[in-house]
Amino acid sequence: MERDSAIVALGALAQGTRLDVFRLLVRHEPAGMAAGEIARQLDVPQNTMLAHLGILARAGLVQSERHSRSIIYRADLDILRALTIFLVKDCCAGNAELCAPLIAELAPCC
């Protein structure tokens, strides 16, 4: 991931509702969720939710696919991985024992 792409992604996540949406979609991988269901679960008006989803999509963090009358949104886990790697790639100047706690923290959740 390039610096500018990371800035766009982090900027999209730097708002409470969008961060909540992205985390909710990550929890619902690989099935994804309909926009209306996301709005209901987070108690956000549907038109506001669509604006948030648009920002996340333009940042590359979510993908959408039409299924009949619904649009299903999914978190792009490849972008999440690339963003995470971008943030920690030069962790601790290559000093593995300093990075070990971070890696240990990430391992059980994945």
Side-chain angles (χ1 to χ4, degrees), residues 1 6 9-10 13 22 61 77-91 102 106 110:
M1 173 169 280
L10 291 169
L13 294 172
F22 187 71
L61 293 164
L77 298 182
D78 289 335
I79 295 297
L80 175 58
R81 182 178 5 58
L83 181 60
T84 303
I85 290 168
F86 174 82
L87 291 171
V88 299
K89 188 166 188 152
D90 299 319
C91 176
L102 172 64
L106 289 173
C110 301

Side-chain angles (χ1 to χ4, degrees), residues 60-75:
L61 293 164
V62 300
Q63 298 176 351
S64 62
E65 184 177 321
R66 181 170 290 283
H67 286 261
S68 186
R69 293 180 44 184
S70 296
I71 298 177
I72 304 300
Y73 288 86
R74 297 184 58 227

Side-chain angles (χ1 to χ4, degrees), residues 3-39:
R3 181 178 176 265
D4 290 345
S5 297
I7 290 169
V8 170
L10 291 169
L13 294 172
Q15 194 279 340
T17 301
R18 289 192 296 269
L19 182 60
D20 291 344
V21 168
F22 187 71
R23 294 183 75 215
L24 180 65
L25 289 174
V26 167
R27 285 192 302 273
H28 283 86
E29 274 301 306
M33 297 179 72
E37 182 59 24
I38 298 167

